[in-house]
Amino acid sequence: MCDQIFEEWEELTQEYNKLESVNEEYIKKLQEITSIQQACLKYIGHQRYRMKTLTQNLKDTKTDESIQKLKEGMMKRETELQEIEKTLPRQSEGFLKFILGGIDVSFLNKDDKFKYKDEYEKFKLTCHFVAFVLCLVLLNVNSKPLEQFYLGFLIWYYCAISIRESILKVNGSRIKVWWRIHHILSLLGSGIMLVWSENETWNEFRNQFIWYNIYNSFIQYLQFKYQRGALYRLKALGEMQNMDITIEGFQYWMWRGLTFLLPFLFIGYIFQLTNAFVLFNLSYHPQSTWQLSATAYLFLVLFIGNTTTTIMVVPSKLKQKLMLKNRVMTQRVYNRLLEAIKKDHNS
Ligand code: COA
C-alpha cells in the first residue's frame, strides 16, 4: 500500500514538473506581449509626434490639391491609430481612476467587449426587475425600513452602472456624456431621498415616486429590448460580407425600434416634469425641508437633459441614414456600370 502511494506521488511530481515548464513558457510569452505592446505604444506616440510637426509646417503652406490629399491622408492615419489603440491596454482615467485606482480595464478582443456590454444590459434589466417588485410591495405595505432598503438599493445600483459605463467608455462605447451624468444625478437624488425625514410631505409624494419608478422599470425593459437587439445585430454585421446592404437592413430595424420607444420615453420625461412640479409645490408646505427643493431641481434638470438629448438623437440618426443611402446608391451605380462593362467586354 505504502509503495503504491509513493509511486503515485512520484507520478504527480512528474506532472507538476510539466506544469512548471508550461507556466514558465506562459510567463515568457506574457513578457513578450508586454514588450510588444510597449513597442506599439511607442510607435503610435512617434507617429503622432511627427504628424503634429507636419501639421505645424503645413500651416504656412498654400493649400493645393496635393496638400489637400496629404491632409486627408493624415486624418485617415489618425483614425487608423485610434483603431490600433483599441487593441492595446489602456489605463483608467478620471472617475474610474478615482474609484478603482490606475488599473487596466481595457478588453483586448471584440468578443470580450461584446460579452461585457451584453452583461451590462442584463444587469440593468435584473436590477430594474427587483426594483419593480420592491415598488409593488411598497405600494401595498407602508414600511419605513423597506423604503430605506429600496432607496439604498437604488444608490447601489446607480453606483454600479456608473462604474460599468465608465469601463464601457474606456473600451470605445459611444455612450453620450449626458446619460452618465443622468445616472450620477439619479444616485444623488436617491441619496437625498434616503435622508428625507419621515414627515407629511414625504407621505404626500411617496406614492407618486413609487409609480414613477414602476414606469421607469417598464421603460428599462423596452430599452433593454432595443439595446440588446442593436448589440446582436451590430455583432452579426461585423461578421457579414455585404456590409452596406445589411447596414441598410439594420437601420430600417433601428428606426422601427426608435419610433416605437420614443413616445414611451417622452411620457417618462413628462412624469419627471410632474414630479418636479409637485415637489416645488410641496416645498411651500409648513413641514418642508431642503430635500424637497433639491429633488425638485434634480427632476427638472433630468427632464431638460433627457428631453434635449433624446430629441438630438433623431437628427443625428437621420444624418447617418442619409449618408448611408448615398453610399449604397453610389455602390449600386458602380456595380451596374461594372456589369455593363463586363457584358460589353464579353460580346
Ligand atoms: N444609457 C446607457 N447607454 C446608452 C444610453 C442610455 N440611456 N443611450 C445610448 N446608450 C449607448 C448605446 O448602447 C451605444 O453604445 P455602444 O457605443 O457601446 O454601442 C451608444 O450609447 C450610442 O448610442 P446612440 O447611437 O447615441 O443611441 P441608441 O440608438 O443606442 O439609443 C435612445 C437611443 C434614445 C433609444 C437611447 O439613448 C435611450 O434609450 N435613451 C433614453 C434613456 C432615458 O431617458 N432614460 C430615462 C427614462 S425616464
Side-chain angles (χ1 to χ4, degrees):
M1 183 65 191
C2 213
D3 280 354
Q4 201 191 336
I5 291 173
F6 274 109
E7 254 173 47
E8 272 190 34
W9 173 243
E10 193 55 39
E11 202 181 305
L12 203 62
T13 309
Q14 279 170 12
E15 281 173 9
Y16 176 73
N17 290 341
K18 268 188 208 160
L19 167 67
E20 253 188 344
S21 71
V22 173
N23 184 245
E24 259 172 43
E25 178 79 12
Y26 166 69
I27 290 171
K28 222 166 91 189
K29 293 259 189 263
L30 268 187
Q31 282 165 348
E32 268 174 43
I33 285 185
T34 313
S35 67
I36 296 172
Q37 284 170 341
Q38 293 304 327
C40 283
L41 287 171
K42 209 171 122 196
Y43 282 125
I44 291 176
H46 181 70
Q47 286 274 327
R48 288 231 167 93
Y49 171 73
R50 293 203 58 183
M51 285 215 293
K52 203 174 158 192
T53 320
L54 280 177
T55 315
Q56 268 164 2
N57 292 343
L58 276 175
K59 269 185 194 157
D60 309 322
T61 327
K62 242 175 103 187
T63 312
D64 59 16
E65 208 181 311
S66 58
I67 298 284
Q68 191 55 37
K69 268 197 176 158
L70 182 82
K71 281 185 180 167
E72 280 169 17
M74 281 166 68
M75 268 160 69
K76 196 173 159 223
R77 177 70 49 83
E78 180 50 41
T79 321
E80 286 163 348
L81 290 179
Q82 282 171 11
E83 282 303 310
I84 295 176
E85 261 177 338
K86 282 184 192 165
T87 64
L88 297 167
R90 274 149 298 199
Q91 290 277 308
S92 53
E93 286 170 6
F95 175 68
L96 259 190
K97 193 170 181 180
F98 177 66
I99 302 244
L100 304 176
I103 57 160
D104 172 20
V105 287
S106 48
F107 300 114
L108 301 185
N109 74 62
K110 283 188 178 160
D111 258 2
D112 288 346
K113 268 185 211 172
F114 169 81
K115 274 187 207 150
Y116 191 75
K117 173 90 190 201
D118 192 36
E119 217 247 302
Y120 156 81
E121 296 296 345
K122 278 195 263 180
F123 172 78
K124 283 206 297 187
L125 186 73
T126 314
C127 289
H128 273 281
F129 178 71
V130 174
F132 174 76
V133 174
L134 282 172
C135 281
L136 286 186
V137 177
L138 279 171
L139 270 184
N140 298 299
V141 182
N142 198 348
S143 150
K144 193 71 190 165
L146 192 63
E147 268 169 24
Q148 285 176 333
F149 173 77
Y150 174 66
L151 290 167
F153 173 76
L154 286 187
I155 293 174
W156 170 81
Y157 165 74
Y158 285 119
C159 269
I161 60 163
S162 297
I163 295 172
R164 284 173 185 240
E165 279 160 5
S166 300
I167 295 177
L168 285 169
K169 189 77 191 157
V170 170
N171 285 286
S173 171
R174 294 153 300 133
I175 175 169
K176 290 191 174 58
V177 71
W178 167 254
W179 300 127
R180 294 173 63 205
I181 295 175
H182 173 279
H183 295 142
I184 290 170
L185 292 181
S186 304
L187 164 70
L188 195 68
S190 311
I192 294 175
M193 285 194 182
L194 189 65
V195 292
W196 188 339
S197 51
E198 194 178 359
N199 62 21
E200 225 177 277
T201 52
W202 168 253
N203 291 335
E204 277 191 41
F205 182 62
R206 182 186 181 273
N207 273 10
Q208 176 161 344
F209 178 65
I210 295 171
W211 277 112
Y212 165 72
N213 281 299
I214 288 178
Y215 187 73
N216 202 6
S217 297
F218 165 66
I219 290 189
Q220 286 299 327
Y221 171 71
L222 299 182
Q223 273 178 270
F224 170 80
K225 298 283 264 182
Y226 172 82
Q227 292 293 355
R228 203 146 183 249
L231 185 65
Y232 274 82
R233 276 171 179 82
L234 278 174
K235 184 173 187 269
L237 269 180
E239 291 156 6
M240 282 177 189
Q241 297 297 318
N242 197 349
M243 285 290 279
D244 283 347
I245 306 302
T246 42
I247 291 178
E248 220 184 2
F250 168 70
Q251 291 224 330
Y252 174 71
W253 171 87
M254 193 192 65
W255 269 106
R256 262 188 34 208
L258 208 59
T259 41
F260 176 76
L261 192 56
L262 285 178
F264 292 103
L265 288 177
F266 285 110
I267 293 174
Y269 303 156
I270 290 169
F271 219 140
Q272 286 169 343
L273 184 65
T274 318
N275 286 349
F277 182 73
V278 170
L279 285 164
F280 271 128
N281 276 343
L282 278 174
S283 65
Y284 294 103
H285 193 281
Q287 284 187 20
S288 167
T289 52
W290 65 270
Q291 287 93 341
L292 276 135
S293 24
T295 41
Y297 278 115
L298 273 179
F299 273 117
L300 188 64
V301 172
L302 286 183
F303 163 74
I304 296 169
N306 286 345
T307 313
T308 40
T309 313
T310 304
I311 286 175
M312 270 157 55
V313 167
V314 178
S316 86
K317 299 266 175 192
L318 270 175
K319 206 171 140 197
Q320 279 174 20
K321 200 178 171 199
L322 211 70
M323 271 165 61
L324 179 83
K325 207 173 168 188
N326 288 341
R327 227 171 92 190
V328 173
M329 271 166 64
T330 320
Q331 184 73 42
R332 280 179 186 157
V333 171
Y334 173 78
N335 287 346
R336 271 189 215 140
L337 269 172
L338 209 69
E339 263 173 40
I341 292 170
K342 273 186 197 163
K343 263 187 200 164
D344 207 31
H345 187 74
N346 291 342
S347 59

